[in-house]
Amino acid sequence: MENSTNSFYFNLTLFMNIGHYRYPSFVFCLLLYSFIASANLAMILIIIRERTLHEPMYIFIAFLSVNSLYGSTGFFPRFLMDLLSDSHLISRPACFTQIYIIYTYASYELTILSIMSYDRYVAVCHPLHYHRKMNSKTVYMLAFLAWVSPACYLTITLNMIVRLPLCGNIIEKVYCASWNIVKLSCITDAVDNIFALLGAITIAFLPFAFIFYTYLRIVVACWKNSSEVRGKVLQSCLPHVISFGIYSITSFSDTALSRQNLENINPFTAIIISLEFVIIPPLLNPLVYGLKLPEIRRHIIKIFCFKAKIKRKIPDSSVIV
């Protein structure tokens, strides 16, 4: 405890000195953030505007897009500033706020994917009872659990981390992460560690197990049906499976990286792996659902065709006398 430090700043040391490449990197990341924000906002607006999309599956897809906007906005502005800065210090309040946003984003992604898998399970395995089981009351309850449970758990966890006495301020990442701060702690509290472990199992592994179980039941149900039914089920479930696969690979890669000694890893590789789960799901989710689901794809095409017709109807001012 005598060596503890109350430094008001943390130092993000994984940023590389890329010299003049910082400006192209800034422009690329700004365009990437702009595309993520625009694509997910477009998905939300299409689902809100089109009454035919006011079904549980599409409402949950809109939740994914809202979460993508939330996580990207919590990460990109600070990251873009750091790309142009020579100093990568972040204050304690800003660091813990970033931790809360990024980790609630990751948890929301998993809980939303869980309720989406339940929705597909009911639609495929209990089609005659779908509208009774997935009524508005059930949708509201699932949405409440998906948003509130991770927020409550992470509020408690972050409160424990904030109170830890720290013996350093070096964070080997390009953003603040809870495990990196826990490693800076001067003490080891067995009770807190057990509580955090049980919480992590509840918030992560149980949803993973539930998703695997529901899709296993869907596969078994499809196996007994005709090829035509299997094709329709595959068309509606494939985007969810792709999203879950993307999330699983990127989140596990980041978790594995945080447990490694980064001195033995190429810094550029470490940066790419650490950024995957905050960039790839928000980037690919609107593309996956927009291109794979016929209902959403049809409305996107309709919007573009409508805009093209308007442009053709507007006369060129140069030919007006």
Side-chain angles (χ1 to χ4, degrees):
M1 290 291 291
E2 293 179 359
N3 294 326
S4 67
T5 176
N6 292 318
S7 173
F8 188 71
Y9 292 94
F10 291 106
N11 189 11
L12 304 173
T13 60
L14 201 55
F15 279 97
M16 299 169 60
N17 182 14
I18 55 177
H20 294 296
Y21 290 107
R22 69 171 65 183
Y23 300 107
S25 300
F26 174 84
V27 172
F28 173 76
C29 291
L30 180 61
L31 291 174
L32 191 64
Y33 176 46
S34 300
F35 176 80
I36 290 172
S38 302
N40 283 284
L41 187 59
M43 288 286 290
I44 296 168
L45 293 176
I46 288 171
I47 293 171
I48 290 175
R49 197 181 74 167
E50 301 297 336
R51 298 185 67 84
T52 56
L53 300 180
H54 292 180
E55 297 288 337
M57 181 177 74
Y58 300 108
I59 292 171
F60 297 149
I61 291 172
F63 286 171
L64 273 185
S65 291
V66 170
N67 188 46
S68 294
L69 287 175
Y70 168 72
S72 300
T73 303
F75 167 74
F76 270 103
R78 172 74 204 193
F79 179 71
L80 291 171
M81 288 171 54
D82 281 328
L83 280 177
L84 297 180
S85 176
D86 294 322
S87 173
H88 304 114
L89 298 176
I90 183 171
S91 67
R92 285 174 66 95
C95 183
F96 289 121
T97 300
Q98 190 179 60
I99 288 174
Y100 183 81
I101 293 174
I102 289 177
Y103 280 81
T104 49
Y105 148 75
S107 301
Y108 290 152
E109 192 84 0
L110 184 55
T111 53
I112 294 169
L113 288 171
S114 298
I115 62 177
M116 291 175 77
S117 69
Y118 175 72
D119 172 73
R120 290 300 85 201
Y121 162 74
V122 175
V124 174
C125 299
H126 304 280
L128 299 179
H129 303 285
Y130 177 78
H131 292 290
R132 180 176 61 83
K133 290 189 174 186
M134 293 301 296
N135 54 40
S136 57
K137 183 179 179 181
T138 304
V139 172
Y140 292 146
M141 183 187 69
L142 291 173
F144 178 81
L145 291 174
W147 292 109
V148 173
S149 299
C152 292
Y153 165 69
L154 286 159
T155 298
I156 297 170
T157 303
L158 193 61
N159 184 55
M160 293 192 305
I161 295 173
V162 168
R163 292 188 285 111
L164 288 174
L166 304 179
C167 291
N169 69 335
I170 302 298
I171 297 177
E172 293 180 312
K173 269 196 177 265
V174 293
Y175 58 86
C176 290
S178 59
W179 178 249
N180 296 76
I181 292 180
V182 169
K183 289 194 293 186
L184 297 175
S185 174
C186 305
I187 61 172
T188 302
D189 192 322
V191 175
D192 285 355
N193 286 342
I194 293 172
F195 177 82
L197 179 61
L198 291 175
I201 291 172
T202 303
I203 207 71
F205 291 107
L206 288 183
F208 269 108
F210 178 76
I211 292 171
F212 277 119
Y213 170 77
T214 53
Y215 281 113
L216 181 62
R217 291 292 302 271
I218 289 172
V219 169
V220 171
C222 288
W223 194 263
K224 301 175 182 178
N225 284 297
S226 64
S227 58
E228 182 181 354
V229 173
R230 286 198 295 268
K232 290 181 179 179
V233 172
L234 181 64
Q235 188 179 57
S236 68
C237 291
L238 185 60
H240 307 306
V241 174
I242 293 173
S243 291
F244 178 62
I246 291 169
Y247 175 83
S248 301
I249 293 170
T250 55
S251 60
F252 280 131
S253 297
D254 180 70
T255 302
L257 178 69
S258 65
R259 267 63 177 177
Q260 302 298 315
N261 182 3
L262 295 186
E263 293 180 358
N264 301 326
I265 301 175
N266 181 282
F268 183 74
T269 303
I271 291 173
I272 295 298
I273 294 175
S274 68
L275 292 179
E276 283 180 346
F277 93 103
V278 292
I279 292 179
I280 294 180
L283 177 67
L284 294 185
N285 280 345
L287 295 177
V288 168
Y289 290 106
L291 296 176
K292 287 291 182 181
L293 292 179
E295 285 292 326
I296 295 179
R297 184 172 67 243
R298 185 163 61 249
H299 288 296
I300 292 173
I301 294 172
K302 187 166 68 174
I303 289 172
F304 279 109
C305 291
F306 179 72
K307 289 183 177 179
K309 287 181 181 178
I310 291 177
K311 287 183 178 179
R312 284 198 297 267
K313 287 181 180 179
I314 297 175
D316 188 350
S317 60
S318 63
V319 299
I320 298 176
V321 179

